[in-house]
Amino acid sequence: MVKGNGDPSKIHTLDALAARLAAMRHGRRVVQCHGVFDLLHIGHIRHLREARALGDLLVVTVTPDRFVNKGPTRPAFGEKLRAEALAALDCVDYVAINDAPQAEGAIRKLRPALYVKGGEYRRPEDDPTGGIEREARAIEEVGGALHFTDDIVFSSSSLINEHLSTLPEEARRFLHDVRRTHGAPGVLNYLRGAQALRVVVVGEAIIDEYQYCEAIGKSSKEPMLTVRRLSCERFAGGILAVVNHLADFCGQVEAVSIVGASESTASFIGANLDGRAAKTLIGRPDAPTIIKRRYIDSYYFQKLFGVYEMDDSPLSGEPEARFVDAVTIAAGRADAVIVVDFGHGVMTPAVIEALCANAKFLAVNVQSNAGNQGYNTLSKYPRADLVCVTEHEARLDLRDLRGDLEAVLERIARRMGCPRVIATRGSRGAIGREEQAGIVTIPALTSSPRDRMGAGDAFHAFA
């Protein structure tokens, strides 16, 4: 059944496999299976055997690494190794790594007579991604049929999480408890509840720019590092990133912010803000749109230094008055207002007063960063319904460097009349204080973060 190594002659690009099948399908029935196949197991083997028995050629398409969304540290095996493992099976004739997150494009290219899925996909309503319905339409378009196998079912994710997890024991226990008390349907139903919400996000619109460089060496005349610029990437940052996160979950999302007069930055924001989101952007002619430019060593992927392009003097005059009006109107019609305050002069006392007076539910994140030198603290806000900050920012607010963190959260909650306070702690996870539940600890759910930039903003938005 299994050969020693994956037969390389079986593995092709998707386009090459489509051309090969076109030349040899006459009189032969082509069957296609598709999946991640991370940790190949007996359930997969029985599924593939049954699929092969339905036709003359079995082709298997594999989800590429960049589209595997099974959680931290996944896939456990890279796409080439997963393809090699499948090619080692006698029942598999050809393997291709897909070029998309879903299989419908591969179905249209390969045009199989049968597209075969496991019996667990028989009920489309049990597939929250809607993938099986799209695949069913694709196989129908090419004149084929959808077929389900009926054998024992195992989950690679469950096997890996249970027996091969790289997560610390504390994180494993936490996830086990969530699975036991809520389960996937409970979590998904909770997220679906956000679809009815109208959410307004208020704060600084920021453009995050990354200049990738390679070090040349020290200048011969000065004690200065010299680098060669290689490439540049720009991203919608600040509250724009938060809005883009929420657009996938909430029915209506609106960004309310301040921008400079530059047409180029306005067009960038227009092109990079999710098209489903509304935006109210007040122009400030005396200041630029904030650009945070970081210079990155491309070899070590480490930040060398940063340059901020901004005017952080407090908003005033007509721009402030217009911003206060915009915040008042938007907050009054929203179910929830999320504030992300980077401390660059936008969130003035008048703006904060308008928010506190009009927001039905006010979620506040106040950040300490290089641009505000610790002068930006939670004490600016007299009330909130949710506070989500880093441990450092919570301690900075109370000028309490060493005290018990639970006591720090309790003091913030009492002062602001806030029923929910969360402090994120990086690799140590997060700790929260909720009026009814008391103190809740959440471990970090990955042991090897790839990029921490913007993680706190995303955490705050979903909290």
Side-chain angles (χ1 to χ4, degrees), residues 193-199 250-253 335-336:
Q195 293 173 354
L197 295 179
R198 181 173 190 139
V199 179
C250 300
Q252 299 180 65
V253 186
D335 298 304

Side-chain angles (χ1 to χ4, degrees), residues 19-41:
R20 178 178 285 259
L21 292 177
M24 63 187 301
R25 74 170 67 246
H26 302 293
R28 293 179 175 177
R29 196 181 202 201
V30 176
V31 179
Q32 179 186 352
C33 292
H34 176 84
V36 176
F37 300 103
D38 194 21
L39 186 66
L40 193 63
H41 54 67

Side-chain angles (χ1 to χ4, degrees), residues 199-435:
V199 179
V200 169
V201 187
V202 179
E204 289 94 337
I206 298 173
I207 297 175
D208 287 317
E209 182 176 295
Y210 297 86
Q211 297 276 354
Y212 296 97
C213 314
E214 64 177 357
I216 297 174
K218 186 185 81 65
S219 170
S220 61
K221 299 178 180 178
E222 298 175 293
M224 178 182 71
L225 176 66
T226 303
V227 299
R228 178 186 291 112
R229 180 182 181 277
L230 298 177
S231 62
C232 174
E233 285 185 310
R234 276 187 157 196
F235 300 94
I239 71 160
L240 306 176
V242 173
V243 168
N244 285 341
H245 288 315
L246 293 177
D248 284 330
F249 293 87
C250 300
Q252 299 180 65
V253 186
E254 180 179 2
V256 182
S257 189
I258 296 290
V259 294
S262 167
E263 291 186 7
S264 63
T265 56
S267 61
F268 174 86
I269 291 172
N272 289 274
L273 190 67
D274 193 292
R276 294 166 293 185
K279 58 181 183 292
T280 301
L281 304 178
I282 306 299
R284 185 180 181 182
D286 62 336
T289 300
I290 299 169
I291 299 177
K292 293 188 175 181
R293 188 173 290 115
R294 287 96 170 177
Y295 289 81
I296 313 292
D297 181 278
S298 61
Y299 185 82
Y300 292 103
F301 207 71
Q302 292 179 339
K303 298 179 182 69
L304 301 174
F305 59 92
V307 177
Y308 286 9
E309 186 176 321
M310 67 180 181
D311 180 350
D312 59 357
S313 58
L315 195 62
S316 61
E318 183 186 357
E320 183 188 29
R322 293 174 60 203
F323 192 49
V324 168
D325 288 344
V327 164
T328 300
I329 293 169
R333 65 191 179 208
D335 298 304
V337 178
I338 295 177
V339 174
V340 188
D341 184 344
F342 293 89
H344 301 321
V346 169
M347 305 304 294
T348 64
V351 175
I352 292 171
E353 183 181 353
L355 283 169
C356 291
N358 293 280
K360 299 181 185 72
F361 184 97
L362 183 61
V364 175
N365 171 261
V366 180
Q367 300 198 10
S368 174
N369 55 51
N372 61 51
Q373 301 179 28
Y375 289 103
N376 195 47
T377 64
L378 274 171
S379 57
K380 294 167 60 176
Y381 292 81
R383 64 156 284 238
D385 298 287
L386 166 68
V387 163
C388 182
V389 291
T390 67
E391 177 181 353
H392 167 74
E393 289 157 351
R395 293 186 179 282
L396 185 65
D397 178 57
L398 297 180
R399 304 296 190 269
D400 187 341
L401 181 62
R402 305 292 182 190
D404 178 68
L405 181 56
E406 294 181 14
V408 167
L409 300 186
E410 184 68 32
R411 289 167 61 192
I412 291 173
R414 286 201 308 269
R415 189 193 71 214
M416 300 181 70
C418 183
R420 307 164 193 85
V421 182
I422 304 173
T424 57
R425 311 178 75 196
S427 62
R428 292 176 294 167
I431 182 170
R433 181 265 185 198
E434 204 272 334
E435 198 166 38

Side-chain angles (χ1 to χ4, degrees), residues 112-134:
L114 281 181
Y115 180 67
V116 180
K117 297 290 286 185
E120 67 272 26
Y121 293 96
R122 194 180 296 275
R123 287 164 44 91
E125 59 269 28
D126 293 339
D127 178 16
T129 70
I132 190 64
E133 292 183 343
R134 293 192 297 271

